[in-house]
Amino acid sequence: MARPGARLAAMPRAGTESWSERAQRVLAESHRHSGGARRAVVELLDSQSCALSALEIEDALRTGRRRVARASIYRILDELERLELVQKVEVGQAMARYEPLRGENGHHHHLVCDSCGAVMPFTDPELERAIKKTSRRVPIDVAVHEIVLHGACADCRQ
Amino acid sequence: MARPGARLAAMPRAGTESWSERAQRVLAESHRHSGGARRAVVELLDSQSCALSALEIEDALRTGRRRVARASIYRILDELERLELVQKVEVGQAMARYEPLRGENGHHHHLVCDSCGAVMPFTDPELERAIKKTSRRVPIDVAVHEIVLHGACADCRQ
DNA sequence: GGCAAGAATAGGACTAAGTCTCATTTCTGG
DNA sequence: CCAGAAATGAGACTTAGTCCTATTCTTGCC
C-alpha cells in the first residue's frame, strides 16, 4: 500500500504557535490529565504534510518515538477530530486518513491515483472561493469541506 | 485496479436512453455473457436517486427482486466503476456508497450531516466550472471528482 | 516527596466491511 | 442440444475499527 505522506518534509511553521503547540494547549484546556500517547500522536501528525491513516500512525510510532496501542490511537484521533484539530479524510481506499487542521495556510485537498493509491495534496484559491460561496447557499451548516480528484498519476498513465 | 483511460467509453446516445439501458448496453459490449445478478443490481441502482452502500444493496435485493450474493455485488460494483457507470462515494462513514453516473445532468455532490449521518445531494454549476479548471492544472489525469461538505443539518443544528 | 482519585493507556477480544477461492450454475455460439 | 466460457453463490478469510477491562500514569493536595 502506498504511504504517500510518510516521507514528505515537515510543514513550515506559520505564525508563532505551531499546530502541535496549539493542539497541546486545546487538549490541556479540555482535560484534567495529559498523557504520553496523546503527545506522541500529536507530534507525529505535526511532522507530516499530508494525511496519515490510523494504522500508519501505529506503525510509525511503534518503530519511532513510543509504542501506542491501536485503541488509544483511535480514541485520540476521535478526540482531536471533535476538537476540530484534525480532519478525517476519506479518499476511497477503505481506510480513513487524518491530518492536522492548520487553518487557512495549511488548508489543502487531495489527488488520488486510483491505480497505485498515491495521495497528493493540492491547493487552489479560486476553488476555495467557489466552495465558500456554495457553502452559504446549502441546507446544512458547513463546518468542513473536502475535495478529492481521482485519476491516473504520471507514473501510472504511461 | 481502475485504469480510467484504458477502456473505451461508449458513445452517449442522442436522447432517450435511461441509465439502466446504457449500463446494460455498455456491459453487453464488454462481456460475452450477461446474467441476472448484474441486471438486478443495475436496475436497483437506477431506481435510486442517491448513493447506496453495498450492504444496503444486498439487503434491498434480498427482500426484493432477486437474492444476490455479497461477493457478486462487490464484483459487479467494481466492474461498473471500472466502466465509469457508477461512482464510488466516500462520505466518511467507514462504508463506501455507489451511485449511477448519469452524465452532466445527473452529476451532483454530497452534503453529510456529521451528527445524524444523513446524506443529501447538491449541485452547483459555478463550482463545477471552478473544479474543471483546477483539474487541468493538476499533476494527474483527473477522471472523476468528488466534493463532500460536512456539517450539521437543520434538524441536528437546533 | 508521598498519596489517593480518577484520567489515560495497553491489551486483546470482538464486530463488520470487504476480499478471495472454488464449486456450481447459467449463458452463448455453433 | 452441447461444450466451453462466463457468471454466480457460499462461506472462509482479512483487515479496519470498536469495545471492555485491568493496569499505569498524572495531578492536586497534604
Side-chain angles (χ1 to χ4, degrees), chain B:
Chain B
M1 243 317 143
R3 305 275 311 263
R7 201 179 282 264
L8 306 180
M11 283 291 114
R13 286 237 168 124
T16 49
E17 188 181 34
S18 73
W19 176 80
S20 162
E21 286 161 358
R22 179 165 66 92
Q24 303 288 9
R25 180 171 51 76
V26 174
L27 283 168
E29 283 162 11
S30 77
H31 285 279
R32 201 172 139 210
H33 294 184
S34 82
R38 216 153 47 193
R39 199 173 321 115
V41 170
V42 165
E43 281 168 11
L44 175 66
L45 281 173
D46 198 27
S47 74
Q48 302 295 315
S49 68
C50 203
L52 288 181
S53 72
L55 298 173
E56 284 168 0
I57 292 171
E58 185 185 20
D59 217 57
L61 291 176
R62 175 170 39 236
T63 63
R65 343 196 160 214
R66 174 192 205 285
R67 198 186 181 304
V68 175
R70 182 170 307 183
S72 302
I73 291 174
Y74 282 109
R75 193 174 343 93
I76 291 164
L77 289 172
D78 275 358
E79 181 159 51
L80 290 171
E81 198 192 1
R82 251 187 302 118
L83 295 171
E84 298 184 19
L85 287 166
V86 306
Q87 178 174 359
K88 190 173 183 175
V89 180
E90 307 267 338
V91 292
Q93 295 163 311
M95 187 160 45
R97 291 168 169 275
Y98 297 82
E99 66 184 3
L101 271 172
R102 302 176 199 270
E104 290 305 316
N105 43 344
H107 183 64
H108 64 263
H109 295 291
H110 297 91
L111 306 172
V112 180
C113 175
D114 287 326
S115 122
C116 70
V119 179
M120 295 158 274
F122 79 93
T123 60
D124 189 324
E126 191 180 335
L127 190 53
E128 287 307 318
R129 279 194 294 277
I131 211 165
K132 230 164 245 163
K133 233 168 111 181
T134 301
S135 297
R136 267 182 254 121
R137 67 164 194 72
V138 118
I140 70 171
D141 256 356
V142 177
V144 295
H145 60 256
E146 187 179 338
I147 302 177
V148 182
L149 305 183
H150 287 267
C153 71
D155 289 346
C156 295
R157 196 185 309 153
Q158 309 165 0

Side-chain angles (χ1 to χ4, degrees), chain A residues 75-91:
Chain A
R75 193 179 347 93
I76 291 164
L77 288 173
D78 276 0
E79 181 157 50
L80 289 171
E81 198 191 3
R82 252 187 301 118
L83 294 170
E84 296 185 17
L85 287 165
V86 306
Q87 178 174 358
K88 191 174 183 173
V89 180
E90 308 269 334
V91 293

